[in-house]
């Protein structure tokens, strides 16, 4: 009997993962090279970062960790608001919701597309930093873990905001940007958290970008505000919170 139950559970898990991967592949094939995805996911974070970094009297290589953090934030959360609003517009969203997989797998599949996209895009500043500015990586495993967790965290955030029931991607992006833009300034990228007023330091604690950027900074310099274990734990907590909130939103606002 245990072996039969185990086979049934394995078959169910395989079906759910295959369904999630099918959704992710669909998004990758259709949305990765759309002009609005490229502009918002690549050029926008680059120009925003440069606008604040150019006036700093700091070597370019010291700015690479912050650029990677901003790139992960914007690129990971960019795919889902576009894909799901377009699905609603062309009336295929209902088919997606009614697919023979669980809602958790649908959410996971949508998030995978943003997750993989952001990892590829974040390789650009990483490669530039290493081969052009001779940026040193102190702890490569921590860098890999930090990029994976940060990317998936913000991919899940994008899926959460995409649950807003609209057929216009601009509406979702406008709401999402009210969260993403403040995160850049309260998460220690341009201003060290230790240099912020006390109220700013407290607000920084509720930003997932604080922990992602802190761990990426540690991977490059060996210096961080928190230990990598705390950063990892907080990012996992945010991922769980975003997933639960996304599940609730889709159940109650997309029926």
């Amino acid at each position: 009997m245990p072996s039969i139950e185990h086979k049934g559970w394995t078959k169910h898990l395989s079906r759910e993962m295959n369904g999630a991967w099918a959704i992710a592949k669909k998004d990758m094939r259709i949305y990765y090279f759309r002009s609005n995805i490229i502009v918002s996911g690549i050029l926008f974070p680059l120009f925003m970062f440069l606008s604040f970094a150019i006036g700093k009297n700091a070597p370019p290589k010291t700015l690479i960790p912050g650029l990677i953090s901003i790139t992960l934030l914007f690129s990971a959360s960019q795919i889902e608001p576009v894909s799901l609003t377009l699905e609603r517009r062309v009336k295929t969203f209902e088919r997606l919701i009614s697919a023979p997989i669980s809602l958790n797998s649908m959410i996971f599949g949508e998030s995978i597309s943003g997750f993989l996209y952001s990892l590829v895009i974040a390789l650009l500043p990483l490669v530039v930093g290493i081969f052009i500015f001779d940026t040193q990586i102190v702890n490569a495993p921590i860098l890999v873990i930090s990029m994976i967790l940060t990317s998936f965290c913000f991919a899940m955030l994008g899926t959460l905001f995409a649950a807003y029931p609209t057929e216009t991607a601009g509406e979702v992006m406008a709401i999402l940007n009210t969260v993403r833009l403040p995160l850049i300034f309260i998460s220690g990228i341009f201003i060290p958290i230790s240099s912020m007023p006390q109220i700013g330091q407290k607000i920084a604690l509720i930003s997932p970008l604080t922990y992602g950027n802190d761990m990426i900074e540690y991977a490059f310099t060996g210096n961080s505000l928190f230990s990598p274990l705390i950063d990892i734990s907080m990012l996992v907590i945010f991922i769980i919170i975003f997933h639960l909130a996304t599940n609730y939103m889709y159940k109650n606002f997309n029926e």
Side-chain angles (χ1 to χ4, degrees), residues 37-186:
I37 294 293
I38 294 174
V39 170
S40 300
I42 303 176
L43 298 181
F44 182 73
L46 174 62
F47 288 129
M48 171 165 284
F49 180 84
L50 291 177
S51 66
F52 287 92
I54 286 176
K56 285 191 172 184
N57 295 321
K61 64 181 182 180
T62 63
L63 304 176
I64 295 299
L67 180 56
I68 292 175
S69 298
I70 293 179
T71 302
L72 289 173
L73 167 63
F74 279 90
S75 58
S77 57
Q78 192 65 31
I79 300 290
E80 306 86 357
V82 174
S83 66
L84 288 172
T85 51
L86 186 59
E87 297 271 2
R88 293 188 183 97
R89 188 184 309 167
V90 300
K91 309 304 179 185
T92 58
F93 180 74
E94 291 77 10
R95 185 172 60 186
L96 182 64
I97 288 291
S98 60
I101 59 172
S102 68
L103 181 58
N104 287 326
S105 293
M106 190 277 286
I107 293 171
F108 187 62
E110 289 291 340
S111 300
I112 288 176
S113 60
F115 163 71
L116 294 177
Y117 176 75
S118 67
L119 286 182
V120 173
I121 299 304
L123 289 177
L124 297 177
L126 179 60
V127 169
V128 169
I130 294 174
F131 293 102
I132 296 181
F133 298 117
D134 194 29
T135 305
Q136 301 298 314
I137 299 175
V138 174
N139 194 318
I142 289 294
L143 178 61
V144 172
I145 294 171
S146 64
M147 291 180 66
I148 289 174
L149 288 178
T150 303
S151 175
F152 193 73
C153 181
F154 288 118
M156 192 64 71
L157 179 69
T159 307
L160 170 60
F161 276 82
Y164 181 73
T166 179
E167 297 179 1
T168 306
E171 290 185 38
V172 179
M173 298 309 301
I175 300 172
L176 181 57
N177 281 334
T178 62
V179 174
R180 293 193 301 189
L181 293 176
L183 289 183
I184 295 174
F185 301 101
I186 65 171

